Amino acid sequence: MADPVTLADFIGLYEKEYLLLVKTYEDYNNQSLLIKGWSVTVGMASILAAYLAKPPDRPGRLAVLIAACSVLPFLALDTLWKALQHGYLLRIGEIEEVFRQIADNPKIGLGDLAGAPLQGFETWATGFDKVSLSGYLKAFWNSTVLLPHILIIGFGILLAWRFPPKPAQQTAQGNLS
């Protein structure tokens, strides 16, 4: 016959689950930084390419604006990543509540705990099913998502408005005078 499950067993399971969920949550931040790095690289390279391109009739302002918009897929991916990351917060909060219950009442019984251990995926799936357009937009407006993508877009708009690329012929004539 197996030994009965003790509160210490449950605490150990909760602790392991908590540490795994926090690590997973932080790993989303690492991936977000990678997405942001690619966004800056592609966005700035596109803007630079819009200035260095030498076709005779290039659409200067439009080329810079389109180049600045090259960060939009990265912004959408970063937003989705943040929405997925938030799915873990619900379970992390539940486990923290269990730890608070145990700290407040060390003689608490197993049946009195809020929830069972090892329910991370179930809670994440339930939380993610609730992510709607409003949840996605909430993640979008998070400053950690918007930066640096919005800066690249703003930089591109500023360059297109104030310093548009000039046609090659006009640039050559401007240097002669």
Side-chain angles (χ1 to χ4, degrees):
M1 181 175 214
D3 292 333
V5 178
T6 66
L7 181 61
D9 295 333
F10 265 56
I11 291 172
L13 290 173
Y14 275 119
E15 180 184 13
K16 288 177 183 176
E17 181 183 4
Y18 181 79
L19 293 174
L20 176 66
L21 291 173
V22 168
K23 181 183 180 323
T24 303
Y25 185 84
E26 291 302 321
D27 285 345
Y28 272 89
N29 288 335
N30 293 336
Q31 292 299 321
S32 180
L33 287 174
L34 185 65
I35 293 167
K36 290 173 189 318
W38 277 104
S39 178
V40 169
T41 302
V42 169
M44 294 305 290
S46 298
I47 290 171
L48 183 62
Y51 277 91
L52 295 178
K54 299 291 185 203
D57 296 321
R58 71 174 173 205
R61 284 193 168 117
L62 182 60
V64 174
L65 291 174
I66 290 171
C69 290
S70 68
V71 301
L72 291 176
F74 296 101
L75 176 58
L77 180 61
D78 207 8
T79 301
L80 177 62
W81 213 242
K82 185 56 78 175
L84 292 172
Q85 182 186 33
H86 279 288
Y88 289 97
L89 287 179
L90 179 62
R91 182 60 182 168
I92 289 171
E94 287 176 0
I95 295 172
E96 288 174 351
E97 177 59 32
V98 167
F99 287 146
R100 273 191 292 280
Q101 287 177 331
I102 294 168
D104 291 346
N105 182 7
K107 297 186 189 265
I108 195 167
L110 289 178
D112 298 327
L113 294 177
L118 307 177
Q119 300 298 310
F121 181 75
E122 180 66 29
T123 306
W124 179 87
T126 302
F128 187 70
D129 285 345
K130 294 178 182 174
V131 173
S132 60
L133 180 61
S134 64
Y136 186 81
L137 291 175
K138 181 180 177 187
F140 173 81
W141 288 111
N142 185 324
S143 62
T144 62
V145 171
L146 284 174
L147 292 173
H149 314 289
I150 200 72
L151 295 177
I152 301 294
I153 294 170
F155 182 64
I157 291 170
L158 176 69
L159 287 176
W161 175 50
R162 299 292 291 164
F163 308 102
K166 300 191 179 5
Q169 190 177 31
Q170 183 182 2
T171 304
Q173 288 175 355
N175 290 340
L176 295 175
S177 43

